[in-house]
Amino acid sequence: MLFRSVENGDIDIAIGRFGTVPGSLEIAPIIETSMSLMCRKDHQLARRKTIRLIDMAKYRLIAAGPWTQQIINMAFSNARLPTVGQIEVGNCQTASELVASGVGIGLIHSFCIQRAKSNVLHFRDISRHAGRRIFSAVYRKKSNAQPALLKYLRDALLDREI
């Protein structure tokens, strides 16, 4: 459905994680990211030198978006670890507010850390458990999606001055 909307010109560009795309579309990587654990600075996990999946499984997990939820489910399922509970929220800001309030620990894409920073939150890269992901832009081959637009998107995702 999304690809059809791009092909038909209903939307100019789609951003996300994509495998193969139809031949009429171009795909351009925008950013590669890992996953990060987000917890309060006074949380037990913030003091640990090494954080294992079994350590995270003891707490309610807050996932920012369905992609993050899929990564969480896959990592814990592959390790055959049940989780205490999970909450899926729409974005990293909501996840960071819930974590700051003590509702649970968050798992977010590392490029979201700049937007989620707070004086009460601690972040730790967990790419060894969850891997790395590439977010790409998909657009029509004969569209006006110029390199400048792709650069703008990369800078916006990295929260650089634009």
Side-chain angles (χ1 to χ4, degrees):
M1 180 69 171
L2 180 64
F3 290 149
R4 191 172 315 143
S5 295
V6 176
E7 287 176 311
N8 293 340
D10 298 330
I11 58 176
D12 294 321
I13 193 167
I15 300 171
R17 290 186 26 236
F18 307 106
T20 57
V21 299
S24 62
L25 300 178
E26 291 282 346
I27 185 167
I30 296 174
I31 189 170
E32 182 178 359
T33 186
S34 61
M35 296 298 299
S36 287
L37 166 73
M38 174 174 53
C39 62
R40 291 179 50 91
K41 287 182 179 178
D42 59 358
H43 194 280
Q44 290 178 343
L45 292 179
R47 294 186 293 274
R48 293 188 68 102
K49 183 175 180 172
T50 303
I51 299 175
R52 303 169 301 164
L53 281 177
I54 196 166
D55 302 322
M56 291 184 271
K58 297 174 185 175
Y59 304 97
R60 181 179 295 119
L61 303 172
I62 301 167
W67 290 322
T68 306
Q69 188 70 44
Q70 289 172 357
I71 294 166
I72 291 169
N73 290 341
M74 187 172 35
F76 284 91
S77 175
N78 288 344
R80 293 184 172 89
L81 286 172
T83 58
V84 170
Q86 297 182 31
I87 299 172
E88 181 183 322
V89 297
N91 57 55
C92 295
Q93 181 63 40
T94 303
S96 65
E97 290 170 7
L98 289 172
V99 171
S101 298
V103 173
I105 61 172
L107 298 172
I108 63 173
H109 292 284
S110 297
F111 70 77
C112 293
I113 289 175
Q114 293 295 51
R115 290 179 185 85
K117 276 199 173 174
S118 116
N119 59 349
V120 300
L121 296 177
H122 172 80
F123 301 90
R124 185 85 62 89
D125 183 88
I126 58 166
S127 58
R128 71 186 188 105
H129 300 299
R132 300 185 65 79
R133 303 292 186 274
I134 295 176
F135 284 80
S136 301
V138 173
Y139 52 93
R140 289 180 309 285
K141 283 186 176 179
K142 297 180 182 180
S143 75
N144 293 328
Q146 303 294 328
L149 174 59
L150 297 175
K151 181 185 181 319
Y152 176 86
L153 291 170
R154 287 182 188 105
D155 289 346
L157 287 172
L158 292 171
D159 206 23
R160 295 181 185 155
E161 285 288 324
I162 49 176

